[in-house]
Amino acid sequence: GQQLNQSPQSMFIQEGEDVSMNCTSSSIFNTWLWYKQEPGEGPVLLIALYKAGELTSNGRLTAQFGITRKDSFLNISASIPSDVGIYFCAGQLLGGSEKLVFGKGTKLTVNP
Amino acid sequence: DAGVTQSPTHLIKTRGQHVTLRCSPISGHKSVSWYQQVLGQGPQFIFQYYEKEERGRGNFPDRFSARQFPNYSSELNVNALLLGDSALYLCASSSHFSTSTDTQYFGPGTRLTVL
């Protein structure tokens, strides 16, 4: 099935470091979303982006909707141990079905 | 308010059997989508229902079917189970359909294991 190109696949960082991950697509999307998933749970929405160029923050998280509408990035500042998990980007097209197309995820490990 | 709920939490079936998974959306949400997530991958879209009508279907075989009830809850059915159907099945709900600022919220999923 269709998936977005998400990188890096995994990151091992020290507590307090900043993190950056990104997502690219060959297709244009109307909406970009970032989710976090922890073991045994469903994805939890972190940030939603609705306009090209939009920069949105949620606490220590910041995400941007690329100008070309084909990419997005997520930054986490001053990481803490509870940031551990798998982060997924998702693109959404409106019109027809509203299906989300996901990346393969970035697995984040934070060493205390 | 309760989030999206799914049942059962875990399920073990054998090849060839049939399975029904259930989802209750967030109160007031009218759209339900189903996704399949195999280990190490992102979720893959299976179906979307809005106001009891199918609005989208992903690239899955006809063994997969779904429906939405008048109370907006939904069932996903899978017939003639294969080993490759083992996955986490996620349900997501949203309040509307084709609204630019609408967002999908996920339930905890049903872990299906096919032996």
Side-chain angles (χ1 to χ4, degrees):
Chain A
Q2 182 184 9
Q3 287 199 318
L4 304 177
N5 300 312
Q6 186 173 349
S7 63
Q9 272 189 323
S10 61
M11 303 184 75
F12 298 83
I13 63 169
Q14 293 296 125
E15 183 176 358
E17 289 183 357
D18 297 343
V19 170
S20 184
M21 59 191 78
N22 69 79
C23 218
T24 61
S25 169
S26 57
S27 305
I28 290 174
F29 290 106
N30 299 107
T31 303
W32 281 92
L33 304 161
W34 286 91
Y35 289 88
K36 178 186 177 186
Q37 188 174 29
E38 298 185 32
E41 298 182 8
V44 173
L45 181 67
L46 300 174
I47 291 181
L49 302 158
Y50 303 110
K51 292 182 184 177
E54 180 181 354
L55 184 71
T56 298
S57 293
N58 178 8
R60 294 178 295 104
L61 277 60
T62 301
Q64 184 158 30
F65 191 146
I67 291 290
T68 64
R69 295 167 65 195
K70 293 182 178 182
D71 63 307
S72 177
F73 72 74
L74 174 71
N75 288 338
I76 305 173
S77 62
S79 58
I80 58 178
S82 62
D83 290 334
V84 165
I86 302 177
Y87 292 79
F88 289 97
C89 62
Q92 183 177 41
L93 266 177
L94 297 180
S97 105
E98 285 191 323
K99 71 173 186 178
L100 296 178
V101 179
F102 282 84
K104 288 190 176 183
T106 295
K107 185 175 182 180
L108 179 63
T109 303
V110 180
N111 296 315
Chain B
D1 275 345
V4 177
T5 58
Q6 293 185 242
S7 63
T9 307
H10 296 87
L11 204 50
I12 299 175
K13 293 284 189 178
T14 57
R15 281 178 294 176
Q17 285 189 313
H18 160 271
V19 69
T20 298
L21 310 181
R22 296 178 175 83
C23 170
S24 292
I26 292 170
S27 177
H29 282 194
K30 298 182 178 180
S31 177
V32 170
S33 298
W34 287 94
Y35 292 80
Q36 180 195 63
Q37 186 179 22
V38 299
L39 204 59
Q41 301 290 319
Q44 291 284 326
F45 173 75
I46 309 175
F47 286 110
Q48 182 179 31
Y49 277 78
Y50 177 72
E51 291 283 13
K52 302 180 290 294
E53 290 188 8
E54 181 184 301
R55 297 303 184 107
R57 172 185 285 256
N59 188 24
F60 280 82
D62 292 343
R63 299 184 295 108
F64 288 77
S65 63
R67 55 180 176 168
Q68 187 177 32
F69 298 99
N71 67 354
Y72 302 109
S73 67
S74 178
E75 282 183 354
L76 175 69
N77 295 286
V78 187
N79 292 324
L81 285 167
L82 303 174
L83 294 178
D85 295 332
S86 295
L88 180 68
Y89 288 84
L90 295 163
C91 174
S93 78
S94 57
S95 56
H96 298 95
F97 180 77
S98 283
T99 301
S100 62
T101 57
D102 204 17
T103 307
Q104 295 185 29
Y105 297 90
F106 284 83
T110 294
R111 172 70 63 187
L112 172 65
T113 301
V114 182
L115 302 177

